[in-house]
């Protein structure tokens, strides 16, 4: 008696044109093929189908899982935790875990991630991953959430600056790679800072005047001044931003016209820091005889050397600058 034929065993083979190759999916997601292979090897987030020729392919379900993995890591969740959550989300509600919707508590991590972040807030890791992927929507969302969660000053000092520095260090050590990453990150930091700035306040005809912000001639780094501009606006102080590379004549004219209570001069590079310019601004005077006054000068940026002659104030960071300017404006 001939045995009854058995049904063929299920196979994961798919037609040669079905599913996505790893390289194609990597380009779509904005990650490297090496990252996808690493996630497959370490966490089991990988392609589950094969072509008739034996090549591995990502099915629609595989793609959804790895997209969730990308989304979670972009928020700063460690890859191992993100992988567990992504697999749980793929398994559905019966998996009995809410890890996909519950991120780990915020704090500091020594894991460097894709960039040399060192001992930085967890949000920095998510920002770094989004920046390396050139994921503009994720950058804007995470930057805005950092400002909302921590306030502008803390978000600048502990989230934005460490990530910008990490990108800058990687750029400096990788033969001009990551230039596009730094430019995109800086653009979106600037965008979020401006969106966080209240409308400009008028300068009172009589009173303390305003705070004037300017980069020294030749200096193009404006982000720290943009952060100060936003922070002062949120403090309710009238502030005027002149921006990058302000010529001496233009700065002189603006000071004489506005009569500011303080002038902040930013110098990122030591070659552009100009003590003579700082002294010139500090010596400017206006007003009626007997009541003439001038501005207090604040020197911002690493370009100003402690060995240079002391002119004005040198706040150590954004929080100190805001506090010093608030006191000056109130006293004026």
């Amino acid at each position: 008696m001939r045995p009854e034929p058995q049904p063929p065993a299920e196979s994961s083979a798919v037609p040669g044109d079905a599913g996505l190759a790893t390289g194609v999916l990597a380009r779509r997601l904005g990650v490297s093929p090496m990252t996808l292979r690493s996630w497959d090897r370490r966490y089991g987030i990988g392609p589950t189908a094969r072509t008739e020729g034996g090549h591995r392919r990502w099915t629609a379900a595989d793609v959804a899982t790895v997209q969730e993995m990308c989304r979670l890591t972009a928020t700063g969740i460690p890859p191992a935790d993100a992988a567990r959550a992504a697999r749980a989300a793929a398994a559905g509600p019966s998996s009995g875990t809410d890890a996909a919707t519950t991120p780990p508590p915020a704090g500091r991590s020594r894991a460097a991630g894709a960039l040399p972040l060192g001992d930085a807030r967890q949000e920095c890791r998510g920002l770094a991953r989004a920046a390396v992927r050139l994921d503009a929507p994720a950058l804007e969302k995470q930057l805005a959430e950092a400002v909302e969660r921590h306030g502008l000053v803390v978000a600048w000092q502990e989230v934005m600056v460490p990530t910008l520095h990490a990108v800058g260090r990687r750029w400096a050590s990788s033969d001009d790679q990551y230039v596009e990453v730094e430019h995109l990150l800086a653009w979106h930091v600037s965008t979020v800072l401006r969106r966080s700035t209240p409308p400009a306040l008028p300068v009172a005809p009589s009173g303390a005047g305003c705070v004037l912000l300017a980069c020294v001639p030749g200096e193009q780094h404006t982000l720290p001044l943009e952060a100060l501009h936003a922070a002062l606006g949120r403090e309710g102080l009238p502030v005027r931003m002149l921006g990058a590379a302000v010529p001496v004549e233009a700065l002189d004219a603006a000071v004489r016209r506005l009569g500011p209570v303080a002038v902040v001069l930013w110098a990122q590079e030591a070659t552009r820091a100009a003590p003579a310019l700082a002294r010139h601004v500090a010596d400017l005077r206006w007003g009626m005889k007997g009541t003439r006054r001038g501005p207090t000068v604040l020197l911002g940026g690493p370009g100003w050397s402690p060995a240079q002659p002391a002119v004005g104030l040198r706040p150590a960071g954004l929080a100190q600058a805001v506090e010093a300017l608030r006191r000056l404006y109130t006293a004026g």
Side-chain angles (χ1 to χ4, degrees), residues 74 123-146 159-160 163 167 180-189 192 195:
E123 292 98 327
C124 298
R125 299 173 60 203
L127 271 182
R129 292 191 180 98
V132 169
R133 292 203 309 270
L134 303 182
D135 188 342
L139 281 176
E140 286 210 12
K141 180 174 183 291
Q142 291 174 49
L143 287 166
E145 287 177 349
V159 179
M160 299 178 192
T163 310
V167 174
E180 73 285 0
V181 175
E182 182 174 53
H183 284 205
L184 186 73
L185 177 60
W187 170 258
H188 286 287
V189 168
V192 169
R195 288 178 179 170

Side-chain angles (χ1 to χ4, degrees), residues 75-124:
T75 66
I77 296 177
D81 294 336
R84 283 193 293 271
R87 290 195 302 268
S94 61
S95 63
T97 177
D98 60 354
T101 57
T102 306
R108 296 182 178 271
S109 171
R110 295 187 181 274
L115 292 169
L117 283 164
D119 187 15
R121 277 186 177 271
Q122 181 117 344
E123 292 98 327
C124 298

